[in-house]
Amino acid sequence: MIEIPNEIVTPLLAWYQTEKRDLPWRKTKEPYPVWLSEIMLQQTRVEAVKPYYKRFLDACPDLQALADLPEERLYKLWEGLGYYSRARNLQKAAKTIMSDFCGIFPSDYATLKKLPGIGDYTAGAIASIAFGERVPAVDGNVLRVLARLSASEDDIALPETKAAFREALLPLVPVEAGDFNQSLIELGATVCLPNGEPKCAACPLAPFCRAHAENRAYDFPKRSPKKPRRIEKRTVLLIEDGGRTALSKRPDKGLLAGLYELPNTEGHLDEAALLAFIRSLGFEPLRWQRLEDAKHIFTHVEWQMIAYAVRISPEFDERAGSDRCFLVENEMLRRNYAIPSAFSAYTKYLSV
Ligand code: SF4
């Protein structure tokens, strides 16, 4: 049974008032920007999110604008943030709110959790910050703080551990629910740091912390080792005719679903297989040149890529390409198409 002492609430709130970082999304309690920031902050650093948050709000200031945004524009606004399923779910949820809730943002944890892309943590964050509902918001930072506070031996990678911490925190959430949740998140992000570097001397919770009392902060949280990532070898092609580049669209499901990409295929192709692959895409190469190898790490898979710059003739027929692969003017590509950062080692070679 996990026990979180009630006494943490007052010092935590007081600490937050004086020590919290001045972040753009903390200037509002409107649900739309609060939600947007929470989705952007998933798996992304605060500093990286700041410019995206502003740019997105400028382009898309409310739910209606987000619901109406063309898909390509959505991806372009999200380009570089990665995890594009977050953007897709954001728009799906905006459409649901417009159609099923008359455009009014749901205000309670249980309803929020039913929206696409909104899980336990995000529902708790929006409900508490924007609507003052007394529910916890337990993300990775908060889990770490709570595991150290209670010197818990439970594996934080397990959903049941997260649920147990949420349960333990629920009765502690004060009327200042939004500030309370943000104070725990902030403490985890700036003081009770990961990788065994907690700054206990600066922590308002030190007097209540079991791990600190036992001089074992470095031992927590406990986490079972992650499964090693699957390695996938791929061959990537930068097919150009001097002014246009070939793109293909990924399937609507799975990794990088629905996004445009440089044509690529599984395996490290030899020259004969390379020629066959280029032709299968509907192109006839004039020449090709090997580019440097690169790798990209996704959550569950690592791509180990070899690549070729392939030149085709500019006189090539307009119908060049195939159903899954087509040529796009380079300027239009840069302006309108979001290419996943997995390909950034090669998109840098695009001629303008
Ligand atoms: Fe984390 Fe140290 Fe504070 Fe405990 S005292 S919550 S280990 S920073």
Side-chain angles (χ1 to χ4, degrees), residues 263-277:
N264 65 90
T265 189
E266 209 165 336
H268 287 171
L269 304 187
D270 61 21
E271 299 254 317
L274 176 66
L275 180 61
F277 177 52

Side-chain angles (χ1 to χ4, degrees), residues 181-219:
N181 284 332
Q182 290 187 90
S183 64
L184 273 174
I185 295 164
E186 187 76 350
L187 193 79
T190 62
V191 175
C192 195
L193 298 171
N195 306 321
E197 295 170 17
K199 300 177 183 170
C200 300
C203 180
L205 304 189
F208 317 100
C209 180
R210 278 190 55 193
H212 177 58
E214 295 168 16
N215 208 13
R216 294 177 60 211
Y218 293 88
D219 288 349

Side-chain angles (χ1 to χ4, degrees), residues 271-347:
E271 299 254 317
L274 176 66
L275 180 61
F277 177 52
I278 296 168
R279 286 180 172 160
S280 79
L281 296 172
F283 300 111
E284 188 59 38
L286 295 175
R287 59 183 179 275
W288 60 68
Q289 183 193 347
R290 179 89 181 251
L291 299 174
E292 76 265 25
D293 298 353
K295 71 175 178 183
H296 188 81
I297 293 172
F298 299 93
T299 310
H300 301 298
V301 63
E302 176 180 323
W303 278 3
Q304 294 181 351
M305 295 173 278
I306 64 167
Y308 294 88
V310 180
R311 190 60 181 243
I312 55 173
S313 164
E315 285 93 50
F316 208 62
D317 192 285
E318 273 305 307
R319 287 160 298 171
S322 64
D323 288 351
R324 55 196 180 103
C325 190
F326 53 92
L327 290 167
V328 180
E329 297 288 342
N330 284 349
E331 205 204 317
M332 188 136 78
L333 192 158
R334 286 192 188 282
R335 225 186 15 240
N336 298 338
Y337 289 83
I339 309 295
S341 57
F343 298 95
S344 57
Y346 306 120
T347 47

Side-chain angles (χ1 to χ4, degrees), residues 95-137:
K95 286 181 176 169
T96 305
I97 297 171
M98 295 312 298
S99 61
D100 299 2
F101 297 88
C102 305
I104 297 167
F105 217 104
S107 59
D108 64 284
Y109 168 82
T111 312
L112 284 164
K113 234 185 107 172
K114 292 183 186 148
L115 292 170
I118 298 190
D120 242 346
Y121 164 76
T122 311
I126 302 169
S128 62
I129 297 168
F131 300 107
E133 186 175 350
R134 295 173 73 171
V135 286

